[in-house]
Amino acid sequence: MSNERPTLSVIGTGYLGATHAVCMVELGYDVIGMDVDEDKIKRLQAGEVPFYEPGLPELLAKHIDGGRLRFTTSYQEAAQADIHFVCVGTPQLAGSYAADLRYVESAFRGLAPHLTRRSLVVGKSTVPTGTAVKMEQLLTEHAPADGVELGWNPEFLREGFAVEDTLHPDRLVFGVRTGWAEQQLRAAFAPVIEAGTPVVVTDFATAELVKVAANSFLATKISFINAMAEICEVTGADVTQLSTAIGYDTRIGHRFLHAGLGFGGGCLPKDIRAFIARADELGVDQAVSFLREVDGINLRRRARTVDLGAELLDGRYDDARVAVLGAAFKPNSDDIRDSPALDVATAIGAQGAHVVVYDPHAIDNARRVHPELTYAESLEAAVSGAHLVLLLTEWDEFRTMDPRVVGDLVARRNLVDGRNVLDPLKWRDAGWHYRALGRP
Ligand code: UDX
């Protein structure tokens, strides 16, 4: 094996894995992406990214013809690489807070028997502490070769910025047991390290914790400002000005201090819940009991948004036509996992409203999971004849809406700005009843 340019495999080509595979080729490596889902592999092999991520389709197209990126459904073929990155999902278990580790386990069990020479298997999936040691055990038991080692390398990529975050990460974290494993990981990220990216070399437990601790901190920061929004709502204060003012303190900072409908997506909600569940198992539930409150504050924002809309409709949703702008959990993504926007839309639908949802990229995904809602193909179609407009995901298309143009399409000028991105003065001047979370 040449330490200069080890060959890489990526096991699991979902959101994280597909991005990692394509970006590692961009960084100069030969990569084979492996997934048990034949359809996914066929689409990737044909140069099609199965989800919306800005910049990724162009990179995939560039490299699929270059011959250094391949895809397979065979563990045996993937096992020929020098270093293996396990990038499978760890969703929330149904009926529990805990993470479902079945995909991680099956990836290690699938790969291990084919590892016939010394190699490094690297976990990237977000897992509860203690998982790495179990996976190491699986490798020891099932890999035929001596010296097959484990590394843990959490990822921190944000949807919508996944390419940028993978090519230019803030930091690299290497959880390793030996100098050899560290050396392998350094070789696998050589161009990123040469660009000056800080590397934290640590043990498995710390590497596993870095990811959940970082996400818990981010979720807490969002819920902190949303808790302040609750206070603002009863005191007449304005949470957007409060956030601007406290954020100038560089110890606090402005990022992730944007009050609104709160967090959703495939990471923050399930990661903090999995952390609560794991801490409970470890007998240290008190240490993270605040995360229950973080989750609670976050969910209360959804309920508050439903109430604000009802207030504008004189207390009742019955038969009202409601335009919901946004279905993705955040802009620049087609991901609807735990989407606050869809949660609000379904709650309002359940109260008797006729809900029409529009999103620039997430309609297909939303329709699959919520066929009971009505979907529009454009912003104009969604708002036409509406008694109430709810802005729930802050796509640019919604941020830049003209209150007069939209005003001419609706039946009544009622608006809830669930993301605090519109200018209240402008909308009120155009004759709208404007309401927002945490603002007078
Ligand atoms: C997050 C982490 O940022 C990333 O490091 C980790 O690897 C995966 O989880 P992501 O889920 O892509 O990334 O979304 P992110 O941009 O962090 O936003 C999460 C949610 O918080 C979104 O629903 C967003 O709308 C919301 N949010 C974010 C706020 O409500 N207010 C803010 O100030 C920031």
Side-chain angles (χ1 to χ4, degrees):
M1 183 200 309
S2 139
N3 273 350
E4 281 302 307
R5 277 282 182 265
T7 58
L8 313 177
S9 90
V10 173
I11 313 294
T13 58
Y15 187 77
L16 165 64
T19 307
H20 186 62
V22 172
C23 288
M24 294 313 272
V25 183
E26 175 71 9
L27 289 171
Y29 295 86
D30 281 12
V31 179
I32 181 159
M34 185 273 162
D35 203 292
V36 293
D37 182 338
E38 274 181 33
D39 180 55
K40 209 178 267 177
I41 289 299
K42 259 191 213 141
R43 290 168 73 177
L44 286 165
Q45 189 66 55
E48 185 197 335
V49 178
F51 47 86
Y52 177 74
E53 181 61 37
L56 195 59
E58 293 81 353
L59 273 193
L60 175 64
K62 172 175 161 195
H63 292 304
I64 202 82
D65 298 329
R68 288 193 293 115
L69 176 60
R70 288 180 303 132
F71 293 95
T72 181
T73 53
S74 152
Y75 277 115
Q76 196 181 1
E77 220 179 306
Q80 306 314 309
D82 299 319
I83 301 178
H84 309 281
F85 288 97
V86 175
C87 296
V88 294
T90 51
Q92 188 175 339
L93 261 181
S96 153
Y97 266 18
D100 185 347
L101 293 175
R102 84 176 86 166
Y103 306 110
V104 176
E105 247 196 73
S106 98
F108 276 87
R109 282 186 190 280
L111 180 67
H114 302 289
L115 298 173
T116 50
R117 64 192 169 85
R118 190 168 199 200
S119 45
L120 184 74
V121 183
V122 183
K124 273 186 103 59
S125 306
T126 301
V127 292
T129 25
T131 306
V133 171
K134 286 186 204 153
M135 295 308 117
E136 186 183 42
Q137 184 110 35
L138 277 183
L139 291 177
T140 311
E141 282 165 19
H142 299 287
D146 285 336
V148 171
E149 285 193 35
L150 180 76
W152 213 266
N153 166 234
E155 53 77 27
F156 306 99
L157 56 87
R158 296 162 300 165
E159 297 190 16
F161 301 92
V163 171
E164 169 69 17
D165 287 351
T166 308
L167 295 177
H168 309 284
D170 294 335
R171 76 295 212 186
L172 290 167
V173 176
F174 297 160
V176 290
R177 225 189 253 295
T178 67
W180 180 80
E182 178 186 340
Q183 217 186 345
Q184 300 310 299
L185 276 164
R186 286 187 180 275
F189 288 99
V192 179
I193 296 171
E194 277 157 25
T197 308
V199 182
V200 179
V201 180
T202 183
D203 49 78
F204 292 158
T206 308
E208 290 167 320
L209 260 178
V210 171
K211 176 62 188 276
V212 274
N215 276 356
S216 297
F217 190 88
L218 294 172
T220 302
K221 202 171 173 191
I222 298 169
S223 275
F224 172 81
I225 199 63
N226 283 334
M228 294 305 106
E230 291 189 25
I231 307 291
C232 287
E233 279 155 20
V234 295
T235 56
D238 184 328
V239 75
T240 63
Q241 290 170 2
L242 179 71
S243 160
T244 303
I246 64 175
Y248 279 123
D249 184 330
T250 50
R251 293 169 303 176
I252 296 174
H254 285 118
R255 297 182 71 188
F256 270 69
L257 208 57
H258 197 90
L261 185 51
F263 59 81
C267 290
L268 298 191
K270 69 113 177 144
D271 286 355
I272 63 170
R273 290 175 196 148
F275 199 11
I276 293 169
R278 184 65 183 136
D280 204 20
E281 285 169 7
L282 294 168
V284 286
D285 49 317
Q286 276 191 331
V288 293
S289 63
F290 69 95
L291 288 177
R292 287 185 193 276
E293 200 49 51
V294 166
D295 199 12
I297 293 165
N298 193 51
L299 296 177
R300 284 206 295 276
R301 292 290 77 189
R302 302 180 187 187
R304 171 72 183 154
T305 303
V306 174
D307 290 348
L308 269 184
E311 283 173 25
L312 284 171
L313 294 171
D314 306 320
R316 301 166 66 90
Y317 276 107
D318 303 306
D319 302 323
R321 186 180 157 107
V322 179
V324 164
L325 304 183
F329 83 99
K330 68 171 192 180
N332 300 315
S333 166
D334 66 355
D335 194 341
I336 57 153
R337 285 176 293 172
D338 205 339
S339 163
L342 280 180
D343 218 8
V344 169
T346 47
I348 288 173
Q351 291 190 27
H354 176 59
V355 181
V356 184
V357 183
Y358 168 67
D359 187 288
H361 286 279
I363 289 296
D364 290 345
N365 286 341
R367 193 181 275 123
R368 226 167 286 138
V369 182
H370 291 289
E372 76 279 11
L373 299 170
T374 303
Y375 296 92
E377 294 302 320
S378 69
L379 169 57
E380 291 72 21
V383 299
S384 287
H387 302 108
L388 169 69
V389 177
L390 303 179
L391 192 168
L392 303 183
T393 311
E394 67 276 33
W395 288 94
D396 277 344
E397 188 180 353
F398 307 150
R399 286 170 176 270
T400 55
M401 293 186 296
D402 184 327
R404 292 182 197 283
V405 174
V406 182
D408 286 341
L409 297 170
V410 295
R412 284 171 64 185
R413 297 187 177 192
N414 290 321
L415 176 90
V416 176
D417 178 0
R419 293 293 180 179
N420 280 316
V421 290
L422 301 176
D423 178 354
L425 283 181
K426 222 168 109 182
W427 285 74
R428 287 187 176 129
D429 274 355
W432 285 79
H433 299 282
Y434 172 96
R435 300 294 300 274
L437 295 157
R439 300 178 94 171

